[in-house]
Amino acid sequence: MGAPLSIAFFASSLVSAYWNGAATYYRGMVRALAGLGHRIVFYEPDAYERQSHRDMDDPEWAKVVVYPATESGVMRSLEAAKGSDLVIKASGVGVFDELLEREVLRLKNEGTQVIFWDVDAPATLERIAANTDDPFRALIPQYDLVLTYGGGDPIVRRYTSFGARTCIPIYNALDPETHYPVHSEPRLEADLSFLGNRLPDRERRVEEFFLAVASSLPERRFLLAGSGWDEKERSGNVKYLGHLGTCDHNAFNCSPMAVLNVSRDGMARNGFSPATRVFEAAGAGACMITDQWEGVEQFFEPEREIFVAASGEEVAEILDRLTPSLAAAVGSRALTRVRAQHTYAHRARQFQEIFSAGIKAKPSTGGMP
């Protein structure tokens, strides 16, 4: 290992998962990087009521700086980050993203490299492709490196076409210290459960792969969790929990016979984009059913470690043949696979190898590193 790095990380939030699906990704990566000796300061804005919905205290493994969601708050934080070995601007901070994307590049010098880390690359690329005046387009070549948390070759090629020097996916993973098997809870038992916030680019797929399936199988029990679904029409056999805190995620994954993953539209189109919850569910030993996307077999073996459905009808067919014993066996194999190959310790070592070799490294292929 090379010398430990001082890393300034500008992103949405480390301490709150409230309307912040990337929280577990940040937590897993930052904790694992700290475990390798790197020193991280995580800068997050006081926005979207996240500080009043914290689900963790400031961790020992990173310094958290919560700055006012104002232009002056941003500029003071950037000033404080000067002199770091690496400065990372993540996508989707949520406030003053354009300002951060521009001003963070002013911190570049002989001793400081600046990285853009895209946690929603399909959405970013679709946005800048649709708007030639998007200010981020001209900034991409100025970053020393672009990292993404999914996308494989399609995302790498698209970022390269916009002038990225190097683009490398670092995929989601499991943090075994936070996601693991627990006893089931009666209130969370179901035949099929889905956890996810209501988002425009996923809603149609949730309708097809979950809500329509529930309507077609009135004798089965379904459980829905996540923010925004209150007014959504659903059949009587769908129990809705609302926002589910991270402290309940393990029980949510361990209690039903199967857990459903539904990709957002862009991630499904690009493939090689497993959601964080796929690894969290596997880490709890859950039997997973996922909608179909290219590259799933790079992470889990279909039919042995995960079930893959190309339609809502196929979800229903899988449920029809699924038994508790088969579900337990599939979940057990997924747990073994994720712990052996897909933890944040694996991803942190990949991150470290990039910088040990120098960030002129060749772009990753669509498969696993």
Side-chain angles (χ1 to χ4, degrees):
M1 168 180 165
L5 300 171
S6 61
I7 304 173
F9 211 124
F10 289 84
S12 52
S13 181
L14 189 70
V15 298
S16 177
Y18 186 68
W19 281 103
N20 180 32
T24 52
Y25 182 66
Y26 294 145
R27 292 169 185 176
M29 285 300 309
V30 171
R31 185 205 296 265
L33 289 170
L36 293 175
H38 305 297
R39 303 179 303 278
I40 297 98
V41 181
F42 196 98
Y43 295 90
E44 59 179 80
D46 187 358
Y48 303 107
E49 300 182 359
R50 288 186 180 130
Q51 298 307 312
S52 61
H53 290 85
R54 279 183 171 227
D55 55 337
M56 67 177 285
D57 296 326
D58 286 7
E60 296 180 356
W61 32 268
K63 178 181 179 181
V64 177
V65 175
V66 180
Y67 60 87
T70 62
E71 184 171 342
S72 61
V74 171
M75 298 308 293
R76 285 197 299 271
S77 295
L78 288 166
E79 181 68 24
K82 280 184 177 179
S84 302
D85 297 315
L86 295 178
V87 178
I88 297 170
K89 162 62 174 76
S91 64
V93 173
V95 291
F96 293 103
D97 275 288
E98 287 188 11
L99 176 66
L100 277 165
E101 287 160 4
R102 182 182 70 246
E103 294 298 321
V104 75
L105 289 164
R106 299 184 188 276
L107 301 182
K108 285 181 61 172
N109 57 47
E110 190 172 326
T112 300
Q113 295 174 317
V114 179
I115 299 168
F116 185 76
W117 201 325
D118 200 337
V119 297
D120 194 359
T124 302
L125 290 164
E126 287 172 10
R127 186 195 81 218
I128 64 176
N131 180 12
T132 58
D133 294 325
D134 190 302
F136 182 59
R137 287 176 64 124
L139 299 178
I140 291 173
Q142 299 181 46
Y143 284 90
D144 292 298
L145 173 69
V146 174
L147 297 175
T148 72
Y149 88 164
D153 276 343
I155 292 298
V156 170
R157 288 194 299 268
R158 292 183 70 192
Y159 253 117
T160 302
S161 74
F162 283 109
R165 299 182 182 185
T166 306
C167 177
I168 302 175
I170 296 183
Y171 294 102
N172 292 318
L174 166 71
D175 184 345
E177 294 188 31
T178 60
H179 291 84
Y180 44 79
V182 299
H183 294 297
S184 65
E185 293 186 12
R187 70 184 179 94
L188 299 175
E189 290 177 354
D191 292 298
L192 184 66
S193 297
F194 172 73
L195 169 61
N197 294 332
R198 186 178 182 181
L199 299 171
D201 61 350
R202 182 167 56 196
E203 185 169 357
R204 182 193 61 79
R205 298 173 67 82
V206 173
E207 291 172 350
E208 176 186 357
F209 286 85
F210 185 74
L211 296 175
V213 175
S215 181
S216 71
L217 299 174
E219 74 285 0
R220 297 279 194 164
R221 297 175 300 164
F222 294 79
L223 189 63
L224 172 65
S227 299
W229 300 102
D230 310 66
E231 306 302 322
K232 185 69 177 179
E233 184 177 349
R234 51 189 180 271
S235 53
N237 58 339
V238 178
K239 179 181 177 182
Y240 177 51
L241 299 177
H243 172 72
L244 190 73
T246 53
C247 61
D248 290 321
H249 284 192
N250 287 328
F252 182 89
N253 289 323
C254 290
S255 299
M257 184 167 64
V259 173
L260 179 69
N261 172 65
V262 179
S263 304
R264 293 167 63 185
D265 290 342
M267 292 184 173
R269 283 194 300 271
N270 285 282
F272 297 96
S273 299
T276 306
R277 290 193 179 97
V278 168
F279 297 108
E280 294 174 354
C287 173
M288 288 181 290
I289 302 173
T290 183
D291 58 339
Q292 191 173 51
W293 40 273
E294 185 181 359
V296 62
E297 68 282 352
Q298 297 289 334
F299 303 92
F300 297 99
E301 183 179 347
E303 295 296 314
R304 280 187 48 81
E305 299 166 342
I306 195 170
F307 291 104
V308 180
S311 64
E313 289 80 4
E314 290 191 8
V315 173
E317 291 171 4
I318 292 167
L319 281 177
D320 187 56
R321 61 186 169 93
L322 197 58
T323 63
S325 59
L326 175 58
V330 171
S332 178
R333 289 191 288 265
L335 174 60
T336 298
R337 176 73 175 270
V338 74
R339 285 183 171 174
Q341 297 183 9
H342 302 304
T343 69
Y344 281 111
H346 292 98
R347 306 298 191 250
R349 287 195 292 271
Q350 179 194 0
F351 179 95
Q352 185 164 277
E353 287 167 3
I354 292 169
F355 291 94
S356 296
I359 58 175
K360 302 286 186 192
K362 292 181 180 179
S364 168
T365 62
M368 291 301 300

